[in-house]
């Protein structure tokens, strides 16, 4: 079927080309972001720290796509000879772990970015109420722990990465697997609602003449908004169809 093909893992030429193009952009783009932010002489601010975390998450997605693209190339026109070894072997497990870890860490980081921008702008004139870097580092530490847990569960029997050729946790044969998949999808939807709420509040705050905001904070919020909503536009169809 569409998720377990016979001849090609990526069944269409345009899909194969797009996968390689996105892989190159995802890997090189996010590596460039990490290098620039980490070797920059500027201080590692909270916004830069969060951008580093987002770049790591999206880099993992690029590595996942690279694994899928290489496997597609390796098994071209004869995937049926490789399907069992690929889907039940370590390759699919690694690919599945990367994509779930990446997507959950990315969603978590985007939500934290939105909450941080909202908190900063609504408390623009109260410096003592601003988040410190150690606070954000602790929050992101919890996010890494959560993302690792969600990505590891299919490897220990809660759902499975071996159900389909593209190594997504689509096994819903048991109650535990169903709860796992539904919980992940609901959390992603909740994250999007939180992000929307934060940016509505930011918009109202910036356009409220009685509320004081710093121009630099607003400028960063606008840039982050573009980044966040383009990411969620990519994720929304996946959540909807899932």
């Amino acid at each position: 079927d569409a998720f377990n093909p016979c001849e090609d893992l990526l069944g269409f030429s345009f899909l194969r080309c797009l996968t390689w193009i996105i892989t190159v952009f995802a890997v090189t783009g996010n590596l460039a972001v990490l290098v620039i932010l980490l070797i920059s002489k500027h201080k590692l601010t909270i916004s830069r720290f969060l951008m580093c975390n987002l770049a790591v998450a999206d880099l993992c997605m690029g590595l996942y796509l690279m694994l899928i693209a290489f496997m597609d190339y390796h098994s071209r026109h004869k995937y049926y000879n490789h399907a069992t070894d690929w889907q039940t072997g370590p390759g699919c497990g690694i690919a599945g772990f990367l994509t779930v870890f990446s997507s959950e860490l990315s969603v978590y980081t985007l939500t934290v970015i939105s909450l941080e921008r909202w908190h900063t702008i609504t408390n623009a004139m109260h410096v003592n109420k601003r988040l410190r870097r150690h606070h954000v580092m602790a929050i992101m530490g919890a996010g890494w722990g959560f993302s690792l847990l969600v990505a590891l569960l299919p490897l220990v029997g809660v759902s499975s990465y071996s159900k389909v050729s593209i190594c997504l946790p689509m096994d819903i044969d048991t109650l535990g697997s169903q709860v796992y998949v539904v919980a992940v999808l609901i959390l992603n939807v909740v994250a999007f609602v939180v992000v929307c709420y934060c940016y509505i509040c930011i918009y109202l705050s910036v356009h409220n003449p009685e509320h004081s905001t710093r121009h630099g904070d607003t400028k960063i919020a606008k840039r982050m908004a573009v980044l966040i909503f383009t990411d969620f536009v990519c994720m929304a169809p996946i959540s909807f169809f899932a």
Side-chain angles (χ1 to χ4, degrees):
D1 58 27
F3 290 107
N4 291 288
C6 287
E7 294 182 350
D8 293 305
L9 198 158
L10 299 173
F12 303 96
S13 297
F14 80 92
L15 188 60
R16 186 172 292 113
C17 293
L18 276 178
T19 301
W20 279 107
I21 291 169
I22 295 170
T23 297
V24 171
F25 274 99
V27 173
T28 57
N30 287 295
L31 278 176
V33 170
L34 284 171
V35 170
I36 291 169
L37 290 177
L38 293 176
I39 69 172
S40 172
K41 295 180 180 179
H42 296 287
K43 182 182 177 182
L44 188 64
T45 61
I46 289 175
S47 294
R48 287 170 175 266
F49 172 72
L50 291 173
M51 287 294 292
C52 283
N53 281 271
L54 187 60
V56 170
D58 290 344
L59 176 61
C60 288
M61 185 59 75
L63 295 176
Y64 159 75
L65 289 173
M66 184 181 292
L67 281 173
I68 295 296
F70 272 121
M71 187 59 200
D72 173 69
Y73 176 79
H74 176 66
S75 62
R76 190 81 179 273
H77 303 316
K78 52 181 180 177
Y79 178 70
Y80 47 81
N81 287 333
H82 303 269
T84 302
D85 290 338
W86 164 246
Q87 289 180 221
T88 60
C92 205
I94 293 170
F97 174 87
L98 284 172
T99 187
V100 173
F101 173 75
S102 166
S103 59
E104 294 314 301
L105 183 60
S106 181
V107 169
Y108 186 93
T109 307
L110 292 169
T111 307
V112 173
I113 289 172
S114 303
L115 289 168
E116 188 273 331
R117 284 294 89 202
W118 167 74
H119 184 271
T120 299
I121 288 175
T122 54
N123 295 284
M125 297 297 109
H126 304 279
V127 179
N128 59 320
K129 290 186 178 181
R130 292 195 166 209
L131 289 173
R132 305 300 178 192
R133 193 166 66 182
H134 64 274
H135 294 145
V136 178
M137 290 178 74
I139 292 169
M140 286 310 305
W144 276 72
F146 166 75
S147 302
L148 285 170
L149 175 64
V150 173
L152 284 171
L153 284 175
L155 296 176
V156 295
V158 181
S159 192
S160 172
Y161 292 130
S162 62
K163 186 78 171 180
V164 296
S165 60
I166 51 176
C167 311
L168 296 178
M170 295 177 64
D171 181 7
I172 52 171
D173 291 339
T174 64
L175 178 62
S177 299
Q178 292 170 12
V179 171
Y180 168 81
V181 172
V182 171
V184 169
L185 292 172
I186 289 174
L187 285 172
N188 288 353
V189 172
V190 170
F192 182 65
V193 171
V194 170
V195 168
C196 289
Y197 174 78
C198 287
Y199 275 93
I200 289 169
C201 291
I202 290 171
Y203 178 83
L204 295 175
S205 177
V206 168
H207 288 82
N208 185 354
E210 297 179 0
H211 188 89
S212 299
T213 57
R214 299 199 315 177
H215 177 69
D217 290 334
T218 305
K219 191 176 181 181
I220 293 173
K222 288 179 179 178
R223 289 180 177 176
M224 294 295 193
V226 174
L227 178 69
I228 287 166
F229 283 104
T230 50
D231 263 33
F232 272 110
V233 163
C234 296
M235 296 173 187
I238 298 170
S239 296
F240 174 79
F241 285 108

